[in-house]
Amino acid sequence: MSHVMNTYARLPVAFERGDGVWLWDTQGKRYLDALAGIAVCGLGHAHPRFTRVVQEQVGRLIHTSNIYEIVAQEKLGDRLAAISGMDNAFFCNSGCEANEAAIKLARLYGHKKGVEAPAIVVMDKAFHGRTIATLTATGSRKVQAGFEPLLPGFVRVPFDDLDAVRRVAANNRSVVAVLVELIQGEGGVNVCGADYLAGLRAICDENKWLLMLDEVQSGTGRTGRWFAYEHSGVRPDVVTLAKGLANGVPIGTCMAAGEASTLFKQGNHGSTFGGNPLACAAALENLAIIEDDGLMQNAIEIGDHMRALFRERFAGVAGVRDIRGAGLMIGIELAVPCADLVSRALEAGLLINVTVDTVIRLLPPMIYTREHAETAVNTLVPLVLDLLSKPAAGEPAPKAA
Ligand code: PLP
């Protein structure tokens, strides 16, 4: 009998070791990783240069405390400021904590402006984490159910709908910030339109709101730039990162620019582990490798290649509704629920994910070659076609157009 709380529907497989894009289970079977621990292991597994630095840091110093100066944390703050255009970073250990920090910043900002009950605009289908504040910000009843009362101070609008945000601006004087993922990961790899971010920036500027971006999944180079917002040349006020920032060593950060970057005062916020020497050394090396090895350019090339291959192979297949994403965030939306594909792919030696029931989500390591990409596509396509050829309960099978 397991003594671990039953919070995950786990697949019946345990991995013993990894090497690059490959993982081996306890029975010795090899799998191609097209998920990277859900957008975490951008460098793949057991990356030699990364491993050397982490091992060396473990042998020297793992943790001290934020009551002392931490040299690696200062260095990581400098590095993140340089690549993000933000001024200051707060370090924590996960995406939900990074978003908690952003929510706290927005509330401080609101109170400073004299708003008694500050509110944040959040989106349908958003995912921001599972703490009480971040699950309130999340746009999924499934994530929230059972944890009521949710927190006050959030106003929900449809994603990628600037008019809806404008209506909130016209009617709600308590709003002080917008929190949004530019590509909704858990929500189905939903990509916003090209003008959305600039539109949000303009609304935020007009109303003196903070523009806060959750780049926990899309950040650290996965879309081909350090941050997804760089594709539109718009600078936010607050950005959160976690997942891929230290290639699997737990870390999160909430970064802010301008007024928002100095709102936290001593004693306002903290974390025991946040930004410790091990996590910061790992993040610094991860960022250096991504840059030195051209992995962001690779994410663009391989991601585009995979989407093109899927488009070619699924051309005319009526059950495939959409193929979308940016860089190595790839979503394939089907007309039918497809959660079964995860175990079928596992049997075939490929690690994938399905989100919101009908969207196949691929988040491969950023070290993928064209050959890895083609192996993943060649493994997945027949499984999808097979699934689509079988009628769902009580329905005729979808026909090829
Ligand atoms: N924000 C986004 C966009 C995410 O995708 C996730 C996790 O999937 C989170 C926040 C929460 O991160 P964590 O699980 O590290 O708390």
Side-chain angles (χ1 to χ4, degrees):
M1 194 186 84
S2 171
H3 294 283
V4 177
M5 285 194 191
N6 191 23
T7 53
Y8 305 101
R10 295 182 198 271
L11 292 160
V13 64
F15 300 107
E16 203 166 58
R17 79 187 166 90
D19 185 4
V21 302
W22 302 101
L23 282 165
W24 282 262
D25 72 13
T26 45
Q27 311 299 310
K29 179 175 165 184
R30 190 178 80 151
Y31 302 80
L32 177 60
D33 189 357
L35 196 57
I38 317 192
V40 171
C41 306
L43 304 180
H45 306 281
H47 187 286
R49 178 174 156 189
F50 180 74
T51 303
R52 224 173 11 254
V53 167
V54 171
Q55 279 177 339
E56 198 267 336
Q57 186 64 45
V58 168
R60 197 147 43 97
L61 188 66
I62 294 176
H63 179 83
T64 51
S65 163
N66 280 306
I67 61 177
Y68 309 111
E69 288 179 8
I70 298 175
V71 175
Q73 192 182 116
E74 292 296 332
K75 280 191 192 156
L76 183 59
D78 292 349
R79 181 84 167 104
L80 288 171
I83 63 174
S84 66
M86 298 293 107
D87 294 315
N88 290 325
F90 172 81
F91 290 102
C92 50
N93 317 285
S94 64
C96 62
E97 285 172 90
N99 289 329
E100 281 277 344
I103 292 164
K104 286 179 75 171
L105 275 184
R107 288 187 169 192
L108 279 181
Y109 175 78
H111 288 305
K112 199 173 160 203
K113 285 208 315 181
V115 177
E116 204 173 303
I120 301 170
V121 175
V122 291
M123 307 298 154
D124 281 342
K125 300 186 187 164
F127 186 84
H128 297 298
R130 292 181 181 269
T131 62
I132 292 293
T134 57
L135 74 79
T136 302
T138 288
S140 156
R141 275 304 295 153
K142 221 162 124 183
V143 170
Q144 296 170 339
F147 300 108
E148 298 82 2
L150 303 181
L151 290 182
F154 295 92
V155 179
R156 193 166 307 284
V157 297
F159 178 59
D160 204 16
D161 181 345
L162 288 172
D163 283 338
V165 184
R166 286 190 193 103
R167 279 194 293 277
V168 172
N171 295 310
N172 190 330
R173 306 316 303 163
S174 297
V175 171
V176 297
V178 175
L179 174 63
V180 59
E181 301 153 87
L182 295 180
I183 304 175
Q184 294 183 320
E186 305 300 303
V189 195
N190 305 315
V191 185
C192 68
D195 300 331
Y196 186 55
L197 186 56
L200 285 180
R201 179 74 275 174
I203 297 169
C204 287
D205 289 345
E206 268 163 43
N207 294 282
K208 297 198 168 38
W209 295 351
L210 295 178
L211 176 54
M212 311 202 297
L213 302 184
D214 178 345
E215 294 246 18
V216 165
Q217 192 163 143
S218 58
T220 324
R222 178 153 289 279
T223 70
R225 299 284 184 95
W226 287 121
F227 303 92
Y229 65 80
E230 290 178 73
H231 295 286
S232 42
V234 171
R235 203 185 72 165
D237 302 299
V238 175
V239 186
T240 58
L241 277 184
K243 285 189 176 287
L245 181 53
N247 198 47
V249 177
I251 189 170
T253 182
C254 173
M255 298 179 282
E259 190 180 342
S261 71
T262 55
L263 286 170
F264 278 148
K265 307 292 181 216
Q266 287 177 12
N268 274 160
H269 201 39
S271 162
T272 292
F273 295 126
N276 80 10
L278 174 62
C280 291
L284 281 164
E285 194 62 16
N286 181 41
L287 297 176
I289 295 169
I290 290 172
E291 186 158 69
D292 292 349
D293 293 357
L295 297 183
M296 286 184 277
Q297 189 53 38
N298 193 56
I300 293 179
E301 282 167 24
I302 301 295
D304 286 349
H305 184 50
M306 289 179 80
R307 274 181 292 275
L309 289 174
F310 282 126
R311 284 195 182 109
E312 207 178 290
R313 301 281 295 274
F314 289 136
V317 177
V320 177
R321 288 226 167 116
D322 195 18
I323 295 162
R324 57 183 178 245
L328 286 171
M329 278 183 92
I330 300 169
I332 303 168
E333 183 173 348
L334 303 188
V336 294
C338 58
D340 276 1
L341 280 174
V342 174
S343 47
R344 292 190 200 180
L346 191 72
E347 272 167 43
L350 178 69
L351 306 181
I352 63 162
N353 174 251
V354 165
T355 187
V356 292
D357 289 338
T358 54
V359 180
I360 303 164
R361 181 172 50 156
L362 306 181
L363 300 159
M366 290 161 66
I367 55 168
Y368 251 41
T369 61
R370 286 173 85 87
E371 201 188 332
H372 299 137
E374 283 152 25
T375 304
V377 172
N378 291 338
T379 309
L380 185 56
V381 166
L383 301 177
V384 174
L385 294 176
D386 183 58
L387 178 99
L388 292 174
S389 72
K390 296 194 172 113
E395 281 175 28
K399 286 193 194 83

